[in-house]
Amino acid sequence: MELAIRLATGADSAALLALLKTLQSESDTFCIAQDVETIDVVSESDNIEALQNTLNNVMLVVADDADNLYGIATATASLTEPTHAEVGIAVLKDYQGYGLAQALLDELINWGETYSSNDQLWLTVQKRNTVARHIYEKFGFVYIPKQAQGVDQTTTPETEDMVYQLKGGRE
């Protein structure tokens, strides 16, 4: 079976919702802001299409030739800082360890530097997720001190924010 990374489309909405449900059940390090059970296929399709028509947001998927999905990567612009996009990456448990997360991250950085209007990618990672932290460090993400974020370290010591300064980007 061959897997490829590509842009998500509205036609992926049903498979994407199923992927998100599976990812949530497989991992306690993966979370999304909205309850997947409350999203319908048509709304998700519209959301994907709207997201992909911007210069500061993107959704990538890992898919096979039959459009089954195995992973996802997103860069979502902050409402308060539209040139700063939050990164999210997840791969199905059975397909972890094959470099898919690294390939997704590489594609996100490439998108950020050659196509997007962003100047920064950022993410929050759990301290105990050493594999993810290693990948982000390897790609050049750096830790943001909690004091610089205005966060009380005594209340949120289990996560760390990381940032990647993009070299390119479009205006």
Side-chain angles (χ1 to χ4, degrees):
M1 164 177 51
E2 290 207 23
L3 300 177
I5 295 173
R6 63 170 174 77
L7 290 170
T9 68
D12 293 316
S13 61
L16 185 62
L17 290 171
L19 173 67
L20 294 173
K21 287 178 189 176
T22 302
L23 289 167
Q24 281 187 313
S25 71
E26 288 184 346
S27 173
D28 62 356
T29 62
F30 173 77
C31 60
I32 58 174
Q34 189 174 358
D35 180 4
V36 178
E37 300 294 334
T38 66
I39 308 169
D40 64 87
V41 173
V42 173
S43 295
E44 182 66 4
S45 177
D46 292 344
N47 291 339
I48 293 168
E49 294 297 334
L51 182 102
Q52 302 293 46
N53 284 314
T54 66
L55 291 178
N56 58 349
N57 298 283
V58 71
M59 181 183 295
L60 303 172
V61 292
V62 177
D64 63 17
D65 292 339
D67 290 326
N68 297 305
L69 303 182
Y70 301 87
I72 182 172
T74 59
T76 309
S78 165
L79 295 176
T80 58
E81 293 284 345
T83 61
H84 297 181
E86 181 179 15
V87 169
I89 298 175
V91 174
L92 290 172
K93 193 175 195 172
D94 288 346
Y95 296 88
Q96 293 175 5
Y98 296 103
L100 293 175
Q102 292 182 66
L104 284 164
L105 184 57
D106 189 51
E107 287 296 322
L108 279 181
I109 291 170
N110 183 52
W111 165 84
E113 292 184 341
T114 61
Y115 181 76
S116 84
S117 59
N118 295 314
D119 56 28
Q120 183 182 98
L121 299 176
W122 65 275
L123 56 88
T124 301
V125 63
Q126 292 183 4
K127 286 184 178 182
R128 65 187 173 93
N129 193 347
T130 57
V131 172
R133 289 175 56 208
H134 173 74
I135 291 169
Y136 300 135
E137 290 168 0
K138 178 176 155 181
F139 276 84
F141 280 77
V142 295
Y143 293 98
I144 303 170
K146 294 281 185 187
Q147 297 87 350
Q149 303 166 42
V151 175
D152 179 4
Q153 286 184 301
T154 61
T155 60
T156 58
E158 67 279 353
T159 64
E160 295 183 285
D161 287 346
M162 300 181 80
V163 65
Y164 181 94
Q165 296 298 327
L166 294 166
K167 297 171 186 71
R170 278 177 23 170
E171 294 299 319

